[in-house]
Amino acid sequence: MADKVVIVGAGPSGLSAALFLDEMGIPVTVIERGTGPSDDPRAATFHPPTLELLAPSGVTAELLERGIKSPLWQHRDRKKGLIAALDLSVLSRETEHPYRLQCEQHKFVQILSKHLADRPGVEIRYGTDLLSVEQDADKVMLATTSGPVACDWLIAADGGRSLVRKSQDIVFEGFTYKERFLVITTNYDFAKRGFAVSNYIADPDEWCAVFKVPGDRPSGLWRSVFPMDEDEDEETIVRDFASAHARVARFVPEQDAFDVVHVNVYNVHQRVASTFRKGRIMLIGDAAHVNNPLGGMGMNFGIHDAHNLAEKLAAVVKGEADESILDRFSRQRRYAAQTFLQRMTIQNKRNLEERDPDLKLAREKELAEIAADEERSRAHLMQTSMIAGYRAANAIE
Ligand SMILES: Cc1cc2nc3c(=O)[nH]c(=O)nc-3n(C[C@H](O)[C@H](O)[C@H](O)COP(=O)(O)OP(=O)(O)OC[C@H]3O[C@@H](n4cnc5c(N)ncnc54)[C@H](O)[C@@H]3O)c2cc1C
């Protein structure tokens, strides 16, 4: 017998979709090529709408226990220092969570996996690689390393290189940056130098973003994100921490010692799928859109996709709505991906690397004015906290 709903990918998007569908009474099967919950620490920032969506299941309470609340974040200039500090508490009338929460992606995946393990309606098949996908008017047929699987509806949450998206000839429109992003985790306490938990540091030659994460120790760890020169060798930089150490040391007084704990390199893309639905197949998360990490939005957006789709797919499976409602999912989330996620993350990178001194000065003045004015702060933070994009998507017919 065919499964009703199968999800490919047990990352943040796929597991969130499983959680939301189960809460709506729809059984799901998740297939995942990894042999257990992923330990990739990539994302670390949770925004208010995401914490609201995950609250009914108890997941938000666990994230709050393990994470670091960050109501304040800073814009800095590498030479001048602090330009503006933005305070999310001005959003307290808009959300129960007027802050960013810092908690690593792999801990979130672990929390979701633990919640789902107790639910009889959810089966996660680890160690199962999807090999090919076909659909007709009545069902979707999957070939996997554990044998064939048939389902009524397939949710593709299989990441940026999505085999499902490619199998359906869905175009992934956009571009890839020529520079890679280098993420260096250290035990240097940037708070000693007046940094907030989240900081964006503009510089035309080498911008940087610095964030605190809980790590595995009470004092936490600090991640720095830098652009990486095209001719730098990825293997050397990841294996030999010396050049990573030198990069962070340029931010730190000479006498302060610190250790590099981890180094990662990522290729970065800005792309959106030409549709998020084709017949019985829907795309969510990185399978549907990818973006640079400046603003901490990609994973959050995938969780918002998962909730939007779960509500509509549950209604279709229960016979309460026509399947055309799934096109609305695609319209809503694609609109928000282009108008908010892509536009804002592309602009965030441009602001950090701005070379024109007049434009740079104008941006600094604007940020300082926004920070000093409560109304302008609220309008700005509605966008950067993803509340505006989330609401705008839901308003699309
Ligand atoms: C450095 C960095 C920092 C970031 N920081 C943030 C942040 O602070 N906040 C934020 O919101 N986002 C952030 N992001 C983005 C975030 O990491 C991604 O958006 C997120 O991982 C997407 O989740 P996903 O579940 O859609 O895809 P993935 O996490 O890629 O998961 C896809 C899953 O599908 C499985 N899979 C793939 N193909 C198959 C197959 N054929 N068969 C079976 N299984 C398969 C994979 O094994 C994987 O488990 C960051 C990204 C980077 C690189």
Side-chain angles (χ1 to χ4, degrees), residues 315-337:
V316 172
V317 172
K318 289 176 187 166
E320 294 165 1
D322 183 80
E323 64 172 73
S324 61
I325 195 178
L326 301 171
D327 290 327
R328 187 161 177 236
F329 150 77
S330 177
R331 282 195 301 279
Q332 291 183 326
R333 297 308 300 163
R334 204 167 167 273
Y335 165 79

Side-chain angles (χ1 to χ4, degrees), residues 162-179:
S162 173
L163 180 149
V164 181
R165 187 189 65 239
K166 290 175 190 163
S167 77
Q168 301 304 303
D169 293 328
I170 299 173
V171 180
F172 211 23
E173 295 156 347
F175 64 90
T176 299
Y177 289 108
K178 62 179 185 338
E179 69 270 46

Side-chain angles (χ1 to χ4, degrees), residues 95 104 107 125 137 139 145 152-153 197 214 252 260 263 272 282 326 384:
T95 173
E104 298 92 331
K107 294 179 187 165
R125 295 184 198 158
K139 60 185 179 311
T145 47
D152 291 344
W153 301 101
V197 170
V252 170
V260 173
V263 180
V272 180
M282 277 72 61
L326 301 171
T384 55

Side-chain angles (χ1 to χ4, degrees), residues 66-372:
R66 297 182 71 171
I68 303 169
K69 269 191 195 178
S70 168
L72 277 182
W73 48 278
Q74 295 183 352
H75 284 282
R76 294 178 155 262
D77 176 80
R78 193 148 175 175
K79 294 181 190 74
K80 298 177 195 165
L82 182 64
I83 301 295
L86 290 157
D87 185 350
L88 278 150
S89 57
V90 298
L91 299 185
S92 52
R93 274 186 280 133
E94 302 287 345
T95 173
E96 278 177 43
H97 304 281
Y99 44 81
R100 291 174 165 204
L101 185 77
Q102 294 294 112
C103 184
E104 298 92 331
Q105 176 168 329
H106 68 284
K107 294 179 187 165
F108 173 53
V109 167
Q110 281 166 11
I111 293 170
L112 283 173
S113 310
K114 194 191 72 187
H115 273 259
L116 293 172
D118 300 335
R119 297 181 181 223
V122 180
E123 185 194 350
I124 306 182
R125 295 184 198 158
Y126 287 111
T128 300
D129 207 334
L130 174 72
L131 301 173
S132 68
V133 188
E134 282 175 30
Q135 63 169 321
D136 61 24
D138 303 318
K139 60 185 179 311
V140 185
M141 289 78 63
L142 312 178
T144 81
T145 47
S146 313
V149 176
C151 58
D152 291 344
W153 301 101
L154 179 69
I155 300 179
D158 52 342
R161 294 183 186 154
S162 173
L163 180 149
V164 181
R165 187 189 65 239
K166 290 175 190 163
S167 77
Q168 301 304 303
D169 293 328
I170 299 173
V171 180
F172 211 23
E173 295 156 347
F175 64 90
T176 299
Y177 289 108
K178 62 179 185 338
E179 69 270 46
R180 291 154 293 169
F181 282 27
L182 175 63
V183 182
I184 305 170
T185 307
T186 71
N187 61 358
Y188 183 73
D189 180 8
F190 280 86
K192 280 200 303 205
R193 299 205 44 226
F195 281 54
V197 170
S198 303
N199 314 269
Y200 298 96
I201 302 128
D203 188 88
D205 298 320
E206 191 188 50
W207 55 262
C208 178
V210 173
F211 306 93
K212 188 171 184 182
V213 292
D216 53 3
R217 52 198 84 180
S219 53
L221 292 170
W222 291 78
R223 276 199 205 160
S224 316
V225 184
F226 293 93
M228 194 168 122
D229 295 339
E230 279 167 76
D231 52 6
E232 273 182 284
D233 178 51
E234 180 170 332
E235 253 183 56
T236 314
I237 208 160
V238 170
R239 198 172 3 93
D240 161 24
F241 286 179
S243 74
H245 190 280
R247 257 191 173 86
V248 178
R250 293 201 285 269
F251 272 88
V252 170
E254 227 173 281
Q255 68 278 10
D256 286 7
F258 66 91
D259 296 319
V260 173
V261 179
H262 203 257
V263 180
N264 260 325
V265 174
Y266 296 94
N267 290 308
V268 184
H269 321 266
Q270 300 283 164
R271 294 181 187 275
V272 180
S274 54
T275 179
F276 290 8
R277 178 195 179 201
K278 194 158 186 184
R280 299 185 159 272
I281 297 176
M282 277 72 61
L283 310 180
I284 63 169
D286 278 18
H289 42 74
V290 285
N291 55 274
N292 78 59
L294 300 169
M297 293 184 178
M299 175 187 69
N300 285 267
F301 203 91
I303 299 165
H304 304 177
D305 292 342
H307 192 267
N308 184 309
L309 176 60
E311 277 187 335
K312 295 179 173 72
L313 187 55
V316 172
V317 172
K318 289 176 187 166
E320 294 165 1
D322 183 80
E323 64 172 73
S324 61
I325 195 178
L326 301 171
D327 290 327
R328 187 161 177 236
F329 150 77
S330 177
R331 282 195 301 279
Q332 291 183 326
R333 297 308 300 163
R334 204 167 167 273
Y335 165 79
Q338 286 179 314
T339 316
F340 290 85
L341 184 66
Q342 294 296 314
R343 180 181 56 79
M344 290 168 68
T345 51
I346 290 171
Q347 192 58 45
N348 287 347
K349 181 168 179 291
R350 279 192 194 137
N351 289 341
L352 287 185
E353 65 196 8
E354 183 57 63
R355 301 201 85 83
D356 181 320
D358 294 336
L359 290 178
K360 193 165 169 328
L361 212 57
R363 175 76 186 146
E364 288 168 5
K365 189 167 167 280
E366 186 191 17
L367 284 170
E369 284 169 4
I370 289 172

